Amino acid sequence: MDTESTYSGYSHYSGRSRGSHRHGERSRDRHKSRSKDSRSEKSVTINTPPAEPLLGDSSVRGEQVQDDNWGETTTAVTGTSEHSLSQEDIVRITKDLEDSVGLDCRRYVTRTIAVILGLLVFLTPLAFLVLPHILWPEKLQSCGTACEGLYISVAFKLLILLLAVWALFFRPARAGLPRVFVFRVLLAVLVFLFVVSYWLFYSVRILDSQDDNYQGIVQYAVSLVDALLFIHYLAVVLLELRQLQPCFSVCVTRSSDGETRHYNLGQLSIQRAALAIIEHYYCDFPIHNPALLSASKSRAAKHLAGLKVYNVDGPGNNAAAGMAQSQSRAMIAAAARRRDTSHNELYYEEAEHERRVRKRRARLVVAVEEAFTHIKRMQEEEPKKAPGDVMDPREAAQAIFPSMARALQKYLRTTKQQHCHSMESIQQHLAFCITNNMTPKAFLESYLTPGPTLQYGKDHWLGRRWTLISEASVTNGLKDGSVFVLKCVDFSLVVTAKKIPYIQMSEEYIDPKSHKFVLRLQSETSV
């Protein structure tokens, strides 16, 4: 059978060589189309390279099988770079840098407008009090005791307003949102119109007529400060208090592994709800580990590799075509029977993996307990040593780390966490545990149980860029059934909002006398 297939393939070699030119043209056309598609992309996310992992980056080579005896058989790993930059990549990176510069400019413009508006608000009452003394000082009436008391009122109210504005508006920005915050813009426009209207009234009724009633001018300035305080109270209600009452229950699902969390949110716009969800994600969701998904992909690829349907004789030979079709049907039937038993393979693979994880975990626990026992013994012997022989926690961590390194390497590789922990981070965590007199269990908790993203190095979350995808405008408020997607480089978060239903409660009155009862005992007893 193999000989006949080889002979048939050799007899049609020339036909394939004649078609190679057409195949090359088609491949070049496909390459051009892919180049056009790549040039049509809108944005590119550039991630900073992660720190050097403890066991090599297996997330990039997730399909490769690694040897468990890496620490014994390998001393160094060298290689050349597999990444290159084309002209289109350079153009895309330049466009991304221009977009980032635009975001920075918008941020600075917003801050500049806020500072100018704040100076206008705080200098206006002072200008109302100073201008009459500069323009017509000889016509002003003397300021009595009540007028001088208003000076103190204006001063303290301006101080309170300054502190309140600083606490509410001049806070560090948590994120850069795609659109402006509607309520902040409305408040800024309201303050601007309010101050301009006061200036118009002041210029028409006081500056033009050169009013000599200075106490009335001071009261006019006091009324302006009072109104600004009320506007600040309105800002507190709209920006802070309005969103405190939960109105929606949102379901957040990670697309790669189906990890799901539920949160309660108030009256928020879509973009601000997305910001709150991302903040919850970094604290609640376990870290995204793409290496854990490689097992299912390799299993599916193995089953697909067992199915090969081909016709070496071409469509011209009917006999060979019929034989190939019969062979194809036989191979499809064999593949179907093999798929029927795939659940057994999955069961035994998972059982074997769990057995290996328990074995590696037991060895790691024993190694760490022995290392911490050695540390405790060294601490008991420290009073007997000279001052120059005492080690600090960093040196102690470096001294005991080799005794647990091999067991920790094998466990991290078995659980596919080696790209999450670098050798430097492990030693820093070990020194931190020694400094604070923690137990071996406290040290192992970071490696035995995957934690949230913020517990790992900054390279796992600092340079991450999120894209908000929504059919509705991102400045619109959440509604019942709203769906939007937060897209990242490796995965996306699918968010579905459901409105908390209106709860109708009724009261049922129970008469207190209904709980009373009488116990009757018979005086006669049987003999």
Side-chain angles (χ1 to χ4, degrees):
M1 181 63 187
D2 295 339
T3 307
E4 182 181 355
S5 301
T6 305
Y7 178 77
S8 300
Y10 177 77
S11 64
H12 290 81
Y13 174 78
S14 60
R16 288 196 300 271
S17 64
R18 285 193 298 269
S20 61
H21 180 67
R22 293 192 297 271
H23 178 70
E25 292 179 352
R26 289 195 297 269
S27 65
R28 285 194 294 272
D29 293 339
R30 287 195 298 269
H31 178 69
K32 291 180 180 179
S33 65
R34 285 196 300 268
S35 301
K36 292 179 181 178
D37 294 339
S38 63
R39 285 193 293 269
S40 64
E41 293 181 0
K42 292 183 179 180
S43 62
V44 176
T45 302
I46 304 174
N47 290 333
T48 57
E52 181 182 359
L54 181 62
L55 305 171
D57 191 0
S58 67
S59 62
V60 180
R61 304 183 301 272
E63 302 289 333
Q64 299 179 4
V65 179
Q66 298 180 356
D67 183 16
D68 289 339
N69 298 323
W70 179 86
E72 300 177 356
T73 59
T74 307
T75 56
V77 178
T78 60
T80 58
S81 175
E82 298 177 357
H83 302 279
S84 61
L85 286 177
S86 63
Q87 187 66 25
E88 293 126 21
D89 295 333
I90 296 176
V91 172
R92 292 165 62 190
I93 293 174
T94 305
K95 183 178 181 300
D96 185 73
L97 291 177
E98 291 176 356
D99 294 340
S100 64
V101 172
L103 292 175
D104 293 338
C105 291
R106 187 178 67 178
R107 187 185 310 161
Y108 291 134
V109 168
T110 304
R111 290 183 180 179
T112 303
I113 294 175
V115 170
I116 293 175
L117 185 60
L119 291 177
L120 179 63
V121 167
F122 285 102
L123 294 180
T124 295
L126 300 179
F128 287 171
L129 300 177
V130 173
L131 286 178
H133 286 283
I134 297 176
L135 298 179
W136 61 93
E138 65 280 355
K139 298 182 180 180
L140 292 177
Q141 298 178 2
S142 60
C143 184
T145 305
C147 180
E148 293 176 354
L150 291 177
Y151 282 157
I152 301 176
S153 175
V154 170
F156 276 98
K157 287 180 180 179
L158 284 178
L159 178 61
I160 294 173
L161 183 62
L162 177 63
L163 295 177
V165 169
W166 170 79
L168 182 61
F169 294 102
F170 290 91
R171 291 180 290 183
R174 296 185 297 171
L177 299 179
R179 300 289 181 88
V180 295
F181 191 10
V182 177
F183 285 136
R184 282 202 175 192
V185 174
L186 291 178
L187 289 170
V189 172
L190 176 62
V191 170
F192 179 76
L193 294 178
F194 186 76
V195 175
V196 169
S197 63
Y198 259 76
W199 268 111
L200 291 176
F201 186 86
Y202 184 82
S203 61
V204 173
R205 298 299 300 271
I206 298 177
L207 291 181
D208 292 346
S209 62
Q210 294 185 356
D211 191 2
D212 57 352
N213 185 9
Y214 189 70
Q215 183 175 355
I217 297 175
V218 175
Q219 290 178 348
Y220 183 73
V222 171
S223 67
L224 172 61
V225 178
D226 292 338
L228 292 175
L229 287 173
F230 281 109
I231 292 178
H232 184 271
Y233 173 74
L234 176 63
V236 172
V237 173
L238 293 178
L239 301 182
E240 300 294 332
L241 301 181
R242 181 174 176 268
Q243 64 189 15
L244 294 181
Q245 182 180 2
C247 298
F248 296 92
S249 175
V250 294
C251 175
V252 185
T253 305
R254 189 160 57 187
S255 60
S256 59
D257 54 359
E259 192 75 26
T260 303
R261 295 290 187 275
H262 295 268
Y263 303 105
N264 291 336
L265 298 179
Q267 292 286 351
L268 295 173
S269 62
I270 293 179
Q271 62 177 357
R272 292 183 63 81
L275 176 59
I277 288 169
I278 292 175
E279 292 176 349
H280 285 300
Y281 169 80
Y282 283 132
C283 298
D284 296 342
F285 276 74
I287 187 172
H288 178 255
N289 192 353
L292 295 177
L293 306 176
S294 61
S296 59
K297 293 180 180 179
S298 62
R299 190 182 303 111
K302 180 177 66 175
H303 287 296
L304 291 177
L307 179 61
K308 295 182 180 179
V309 180
Y310 56 91
N311 184 7
V312 297
D313 293 318
N317 193 340
N318 294 330
M323 185 178 297
Q325 291 177 1
S326 62
Q327 293 175 1
S328 300
R329 287 193 293 268
M331 294 176 63
I332 292 174
R337 288 192 298 270
R338 189 161 54 250
R339 283 196 300 270
D340 292 337
T341 60
S342 61
H343 62 280
N344 291 330
E345 298 178 7
L346 175 62
Y347 172 77
Y348 287 113
E349 286 179 5
E350 291 182 350
E352 177 65 20
H353 177 71
E354 292 176 359
R355 185 191 66 83
R356 291 181 61 194
V357 169
R358 290 196 300 268
K359 181 179 179 182
R360 304 293 190 208
R361 178 172 179 168
R363 290 181 178 178
L364 175 61
V365 170
V366 172
V368 172
E369 288 180 352
E370 291 178 354
F372 272 76
T373 302
H374 181 65
I375 284 290
K376 187 176 181 181
R377 188 164 52 249
M378 292 172 58
Q379 291 177 350
E380 294 176 354
E381 296 176 356
E382 279 184 0
K384 303 177 181 178
K385 295 182 180 180
D389 298 336
V390 178
M391 293 189 299
D392 58 357
R394 179 68 178 177
E395 294 176 351
Q398 293 177 353
I400 67 170
F401 178 72
S403 61
M404 69 175 72
R406 180 181 174 186
L408 183 59
Q409 284 177 354
K410 290 187 176 182
Y411 178 79
L412 293 179
R413 290 179 55 193
T414 304
T415 56
K416 300 185 184 300
Q417 301 182 60
Q418 64 272 25
H419 67 285
C420 301
H421 304 279
S422 63
M423 187 177 299
E424 182 67 21
S425 66
I426 295 175
Q427 291 183 359
Q428 290 179 357
H429 180 57
L430 181 58
F432 175 79
C433 294
I434 294 174
T435 303
N436 295 277
N437 197 20
M438 294 185 178
T439 61
K441 185 177 181 180
F443 169 76
L444 289 172
E445 188 65 23
S446 300
Y447 310 106
L448 300 182
T449 304
T453 308
L454 286 181
Q455 289 189 359
Y456 297 87
K458 290 185 177 181
D459 52 284
H460 292 284
W461 54 269
L462 184 61
R464 183 163 290 171
R465 181 176 179 180
W466 295 87
T467 303
L468 176 58
I469 302 174
S470 174
E471 294 182 357
S473 176
V474 296
T475 56
N476 292 345
L478 286 177
K479 298 180 181 179
D480 187 19
S482 298
V483 179
F484 58 91
V485 178
L486 291 168
K487 189 175 182 182
C488 193
V489 178
D490 302 327
F491 58 91
S492 59
L493 300 177
V494 182
V495 183
T496 305
K498 295 293 183 181
K499 189 175 182 179
I500 297 177
Y502 177 77
I503 301 173
Q504 179 70 35
M505 298 182 65
S506 60
E507 180 185 4
E508 182 179 356
Y509 176 74
I510 299 177
D511 188 4
K513 297 181 180 180
S514 64
H515 298 287
K516 296 181 180 180
F517 59 94
V518 178
L519 180 61
R520 295 180 178 179
L521 299 177
Q522 296 180 359
S523 59
E524 298 180 358
T525 58
S526 60
V527 179

